[in-house]
Each structure stands twice: as C-alpha cells, then as structure tokens.
Amino acid sequence: MMKLKLSFLVGVLLLAARAYSEEQETAMEVKNINPQIEDLEDVSKTPPNLKVVVEGIKVSAILGTRAWSYFDKEENAMVSIEAETVSPAELAENQKAPSVDANAVIELEFEKEPDSYEVYIRGPKHRMKGPYSEVVLDESTGKMVYEFAAAWEQRTTDYVFSLSVE
C-alpha cells in the first residue's frame, strides 16, 4: 500500500513538472514570435504634428484627445499620458475654416505616418458621420468639422480641423 501511494505521488509530481515545463516552453515561443514592437527610444514625447493642405491652403489641425506613451531616459521608465479635451465641435468652434470647393483634394502630412486612422465629419447641425477611411468632403455645405483619429502601436491621438465647404 505504501508503494502504491509513493508511486501515485511520484506520478503526480512528474505530471506537474511536465506541465510547468510545457508552460515555460510556450512562454518562450511567444516571446520569440512577438519581436520587440519598436525601439522605444525613438518614440517622441508628443504625438506627431499633422499638416492639412487643401488646394494649396494650409489648415491648422488641433491636437485633441490622446493616449501616448514614450520611454523617459532620465527616469529609465515608460511614461503614459492620457488627455481628454472638449468635443471636436467645441475645439473647432473658433478655428478659421477656409472656404473650399466640394471637389477639393485634401492632403494629410504627418511627421510620422500612422498605422491606421478613421475620419469623422460633423456638419452644421453637429451630426456625426463616419467612420471613413479617408477624408471626404461631405455633400453638405457650410462649416464642417473633421476629426481624424490616428493610431500608432499602442498610441492614439485625435486631430480636429474645419473647412467651409461651398
């Protein structure tokens, strides 16, 4: 009876050791499959600037809500910043909206191109449309507010600009 208990205990320990070993192997494989996302020291402390050019006219893009992380060399640690702002309509309320033709071409120039983005449009009645995969001039006329939600690896930022569509 004692041999049976001892054999059972040894079997349980061997199974536990094997399970732990397989778990460690899997964890190592995951580390090898997911290489370092990016060189953290190359990430700036602030989101990239966005320049909007419409028919040769430069339009200011206002930095909105954001969640941004970067590596602080002095602290030798990651720093995360989350900032909320007023609504895009309120951000653009006092912004000069250049007049543009409904067929105008809109160019977005980033310091660093985002991995992905979505565009939302708010018209004179503040009704939101979108998301779109590109900036489109709405069929409506008047002051239009464009919210550009950009994403980089583990970072997001919203930009707002307005145009008066004729």
Side-chain angles (χ1 to χ4, degrees):
M1 183 73 158
M2 184 66 146
K3 282 187 177 183
L4 184 60
K5 286 182 182 179
L6 185 57
S7 294
F8 179 74
L9 183 59
V10 169
V12 168
L13 288 174
L14 286 174
L15 284 173
R18 182 175 175 187
Y20 176 78
S21 173
E22 286 176 1
E23 184 179 306
Q24 293 303 317
E25 243 177 69
T26 302
M28 288 178 66
E29 286 173 13
V30 169
K31 286 180 185 176
N32 291 334
I33 291 171
N34 296 325
Q36 185 176 3
I37 293 174
E38 61 180 83
D39 187 2
L40 294 175
E41 294 186 13
D42 287 341
V43 176
S44 69
K45 291 182 179 183
T46 58
N49 288 322
L50 168 61
K51 292 180 184 176
V52 180
V53 180
V54 184
E55 302 289 314
I57 300 169
K58 291 184 180 181
V59 180
S60 299
I62 302 167
L63 188 61
T65 299
R66 60 199 166 276
W68 199 256
S69 300
Y70 67 92
F71 184 77
D72 186 331
K73 291 179 188 176
E74 291 177 20
E75 296 292 325
N76 195 31
M78 287 297 295
V79 175
S80 293
I81 299 169
E82 291 189 27
E84 289 189 28
T85 61
V86 295
S87 73
E90 290 176 283
L91 274 176
E93 187 174 340
N94 296 321
Q95 183 187 36
K96 183 179 176 184
S99 295
V100 297
D101 183 72
N103 297 321
V105 175
I106 300 173
E107 298 174 44
L108 303 172
E109 300 173 357
F110 274 95
E111 286 178 335
K112 181 180 179 193
E113 198 67 30
D115 296 330
S116 64
Y117 61 85
E118 294 179 334
V119 181
Y120 298 89
I121 303 171
R122 288 176 169 78
K125 296 178 184 173
H126 302 290
R127 207 175 82 215
M128 185 172 72
K129 296 181 181 180
Y132 298 103
S133 58
E134 61 184 28
V135 178
V136 294
L137 295 176
D138 195 65
E139 298 141 7
S140 304
T141 58
K143 184 174 181 178
M144 307 300 284
V145 176
Y146 295 85
E147 179 183 1
F148 190 86
W152 294 263
E153 289 180 282
Q154 300 176 351
R155 295 163 191 84
T156 60
T157 299
D158 289 354
Y159 300 88
V160 176
F161 63 94
S162 57
L163 301 171
S164 182
V165 180
E166 296 179 351

